[in-house]
Amino acid sequence: MPAQRYDAIDALRGFALLWMVLFHFCFDLSHFGYWKQDFYHDPFWTGQRTAILSLFLFCAGLGQAVALQQGQPWVRFWRRWGQIALCAVLVSLGSWLMFPRSFIHFGVLHGLAVMLILVRISAPWAHWFWLLGGLAIGAKYAAAALLAGSPLEPVMNGGALNWLGFVTRKPVTEDYVPVFPWIGVMWWGMASGNLLLAQKSRWLSSARYSGAQSLAGMGRWSLSVYMVHQPLLIGALALLGLVR
């Protein structure tokens, strides 16, 4: 029998995806010169990126709580992980073709691939996830403050280790989702999932607000939506530029 789906989680993930698509559409409009915006410094846009990413990783944590409750075997876990890892490689290649000087070397899919393994391995300590999430977020900023001006600063800022997140400056890349602090959000998502599944599972079983089923359908195909939306948007805008 197929595993039970929780519509509310799928709908929340679908909402995050829809928000992401709209955000990237605005970014692409700016990139092609149709509507110039500063996506790298304007708090209106950087704040949205943080919110979208937080919601997406929180949903990933919720999904892992459900998978473990349903006894997902390691074989199935690695199959899904392999799809994510392959897509991460494709994102790096695609971004290198478009942004050779700032291609994505450790973006959301790269970070998700690493964090999924860490969250899965740490599942036996799930009752500590609220605390671990806070420590993960705090550790990132504490480490950055301690490393500033130290001999380790250039090492942690370097390409070999900046995926950890203990950096004093963001690397030049179009998307950067290091393990710290973002694994903290996933831990909080899993902790929330465990709590809801134990006490309020009916809240997750249906999405009752208007349009929720459409969002849930989108959320069930999150990886596919993530991979195809930018090629479609960029292709459409590039074609529009040729026509004009």
Side-chain angles (χ1 to χ4, degrees):
M1 291 179 61
Q4 178 185 354
R5 300 292 312 196
Y6 287 94
D7 287 348
I9 296 177
D10 288 333
L12 187 62
R13 189 185 298 112
F15 175 76
L17 286 167
L18 181 60
W19 191 359
M20 176 195 69
V21 171
L22 292 173
F23 179 90
H24 283 161
F25 178 63
C26 294
F27 177 89
D28 295 338
L29 286 175
S30 179
H31 176 74
F32 282 96
Y34 294 112
W35 183 44
K36 278 299 188 181
Q37 297 288 311
D38 185 356
F39 280 83
Y40 301 100
H41 304 100
D42 188 339
F44 176 77
W45 296 112
T46 58
Q48 285 193 65
R49 178 193 178 274
T50 299
I52 294 167
L53 181 56
S54 297
L55 185 56
F56 185 74
L57 293 176
F58 185 83
C59 288
L62 288 173
Q64 282 303 292
V66 171
L68 286 168
Q69 189 220 41
Q70 294 178 346
Q72 181 193 60
W74 277 101
V75 171
R76 187 173 176 186
F77 171 87
W78 286 119
R79 186 184 304 123
R80 182 61 171 174
W81 183 90
Q83 294 172 347
I84 293 171
L86 175 60
C87 288
V89 173
L90 294 176
V91 166
S92 290
L93 290 174
S95 64
W96 178 77
L97 292 173
M98 192 166 181
F99 305 100
R101 296 184 178 180
S102 59
F103 74 96
I104 300 171
H105 64 273
F106 204 81
V108 60
L109 293 184
H110 307 72
L112 184 60
V114 174
M115 288 184 275
L116 279 173
I117 296 174
L118 296 176
V119 168
R120 180 85 176 204
I121 291 174
S122 63
W125 299 282
H127 58 286
W128 292 101
F129 278 177
W130 293 111
L131 175 61
L132 289 174
L135 290 176
I137 294 170
K140 182 265 184 291
Y141 296 102
L146 292 172
L147 288 170
S150 75
L152 287 176
E153 182 179 10
V155 177
M156 301 307 294
N157 283 337
L161 291 178
N162 64 22
W163 60 274
L164 289 170
F166 300 133
V167 298
T168 57
R169 66 176 183 274
K170 180 182 177 293
V172 180
T173 179
E174 295 301 315
D175 189 27
Y176 177 56
V177 185
V179 174
F180 293 90
W182 292 109
I183 193 172
V185 179
M186 275 194 71
W187 271 328
W188 281 346
M190 192 166 179
S192 298
N194 289 335
L195 181 64
L196 289 170
L197 288 167
Q199 300 183 15
K200 301 288 183 179
S201 61
R202 66 182 183 279
W203 290 6
L204 302 176
S205 60
S206 64
R208 297 167 182 156
Y209 54 90
S210 177
Q213 289 305 316
S214 296
L215 288 175
M218 188 178 184
R220 294 185 190 107
W221 294 92
S222 56
L223 187 58
S224 298
V225 172
Y226 184 89
M227 291 302 295
V228 304
H229 81 282
Q230 273 292 63
L232 291 176
L233 291 174
I234 291 170
L237 290 174
L239 181 61
L240 178 60
L242 290 174
V243 171
R244 293 180 63 184

